[in-house]
Amino acid sequence: MSWVTELARPEIVALQAYEHAAWEPSLERLHANELPWRAHGDESRAGLNRYPEPQPRALIERLAALYDAAPESILAGRGSDEAIDLLVRAFCRAGRDAAARIQGAHLVTVPLRADAGFALDERAVLERCSADVKVVFLCSPNNPTGNLLDEPAIVRIAGELAGRALVVVDEAYLEFASTQSLARHLAKLPHLAILRTLSKAHGLAGARCGTVIADPEVIALLRKVIPPYAIAQLTLEAVLKLLEPPQLAEVAKRIALIRAERERLTAALAALPQVVRVWPSAANFVLTEFTDAGAALARARDARLLVRDARGHPGLARALRITIGSIEQHVGLLD
């Protein structure tokens, strides 16, 4: 019995993956109960009257190339949110395991160390990981603090929990940081899984396309619980087009602009008398502490700008999270 089989919910292990209609585009389709005609006004390449390919091969290969991973280690879904839901459903049993309340499982939280720049508390994480903990979620760069978690600490946690829990690292903001993905450790740490998304750096939040990078056996398990046609045809066609080399070159330029503007905004905010501090960020936002966060929130709204109220998080009683926008938007913010 493999470690995935032992760790996952037995009823999920026993499931058979959904058997979709055969995917043979060269043949006429009279096997999937689809209409033979496109809807009036349908200008999609494949036709919206046809079901899309489950886990489309072209998309999986494109994502594998983008993230430097093997195709069999890739699962595409509707953003990282769906990936998190799939992982919890696959590994956590209602009323027994610890991971997420929506599944009916108990949730264990371990705060970052506010006294140390919101560093990962490695010892506390390991101490809280009882036998009931099946999935550990970490976010690096972290949201809303913006800092990278210590990579050696994450690697040690994954090593310590091997055979006991899956360690999942959400790297939604990694493109804005100057570091490599933890996915490069997967060969030695199969109990590690990585979440990536096209929502942030690629500007495709509306497309809803996220990726799980994990051991092929984990991916095979998640394929049992993902909805049969998770990637809509319009999303597939748009994403494939926008992951072509010219578009990726433009993404790289925009990432550089965001990084430069992040540094400029950080310096400008830090110089304001109403700002107590601006935390260092490796993401596309900056966390800022104000003398009066409520007043700062109101001033931003008066300037027709929405920023995120972070005061509900531990250690952030006077903090707002500000997304890096355009130079013009920042002028309005700083006025």
Side-chain angles (χ1 to χ4, degrees):
M1 183 179 292
S2 72
W3 69 268
V4 173
T5 302
E6 292 183 349
L7 192 62
R9 292 170 57 191
E11 59 269 35
I12 301 299
V13 173
L15 278 178
Q16 294 295 319
Y18 174 76
E19 293 187 12
H20 56 82
W23 187 260
E24 297 184 60
S26 63
L27 302 183
E28 294 292 326
R29 297 171 63 90
L30 294 178
H31 68 327
N33 300 338
E34 305 157 330
L35 281 185
W37 313 286
R38 289 173 177 253
H40 182 70
D42 175 8
E43 297 180 356
S44 64
R45 179 173 53 80
L48 298 181
N49 56 315
R50 305 302 189 190
Y51 286 106
E53 181 184 5
Q55 292 298 296
R57 181 177 303 177
L59 177 62
I60 296 300
E61 291 177 350
R62 194 71 56 86
L63 292 171
L66 180 66
Y67 298 131
D68 192 23
E72 59 269 23
S73 295
I74 295 287
L75 182 88
R78 292 166 294 190
S80 297
D81 296 329
E82 181 170 54
I84 292 169
D85 178 62
L86 293 173
L87 287 161
V88 171
R89 284 196 284 139
F91 287 95
C92 300
R93 288 159 290 187
R96 178 171 174 181
D97 298 325
R101 294 190 184 97
I102 196 169
Q103 170 63 25
H106 178 57
L107 180 66
V108 176
T109 59
V110 180
L112 298 177
R113 294 184 55 194
D115 61 338
F118 298 101
L120 178 63
D121 194 334
E122 178 182 354
R123 179 167 28 171
V125 169
L126 291 174
E127 286 177 350
R128 297 297 303 277
C129 283
S130 66
D132 290 333
V133 172
K134 293 297 186 292
V135 186
V136 176
F137 288 101
L138 304 172
C139 185
S140 183
N142 188 54
N143 180 17
T145 58
N147 60 303
L148 283 163
L149 302 185
D150 183 62
E151 181 173 318
I154 295 174
V155 170
R156 287 192 296 269
I157 289 171
E160 287 287 332
L161 296 179
R164 296 168 47 197
L166 185 70
V167 176
V168 182
V169 183
D170 188 344
E171 295 183 340
Y173 301 96
L174 188 72
E175 290 90 343
F176 303 106
S178 299
T179 190
Q180 294 178 282
S181 171
L182 284 160
R184 68 188 191 280
H185 295 293
L186 285 175
K188 294 183 178 179
L189 293 171
H191 292 78
L192 186 66
I194 306 298
L195 305 183
R196 301 295 298 269
T197 182
L198 300 178
S199 295
K200 312 300 182 184
H202 291 267
L204 296 175
R208 309 308 303 132
C209 186
T211 304
V212 183
I213 310 173
D215 184 273
E217 195 173 352
V218 173
I219 298 301
L221 181 74
L222 297 182
R223 283 184 176 229
K224 294 183 177 184
V225 291
I226 193 170
Y229 304 100
I231 304 297
Q233 185 63 35
L234 289 178
T235 293
L236 171 62
E237 294 182 15
V239 167
L240 287 176
K241 179 180 178 180
L242 295 172
L243 290 182
E244 293 285 351
Q247 284 72 31
L248 292 179
E250 185 63 28
V251 167
K253 292 178 183 177
R254 292 185 173 186
I255 289 171
L257 287 173
I258 290 292
R259 287 178 175 178
E261 194 59 18
R262 180 181 66 198
E263 300 312 308
R264 193 190 76 82
L265 181 62
T266 296
L269 286 169
L272 296 177
Q274 62 267 39
V275 170
V276 177
R277 79 174 91 175
V278 184
W279 279 272
S281 175
N284 69 329
F285 56 84
V286 289
L287 184 69
T288 307
E289 182 181 0
F290 292 85
T291 54
D292 187 337
L297 196 64
R299 284 195 300 271
R301 192 173 185 87
D302 289 343
R304 303 191 62 77
L305 296 169
L306 293 174
V307 298
R308 192 62 173 261
D309 190 346
R311 290 177 291 177
H313 295 274
L316 301 179
R318 299 186 296 178
L320 303 178
R321 190 195 69 189
I322 303 170
T323 302
I324 306 302
S326 67
I327 293 175
E328 295 75 17
Q329 288 171 325
H330 293 166
V331 169
L333 181 71
L334 295 167
D335 278 350

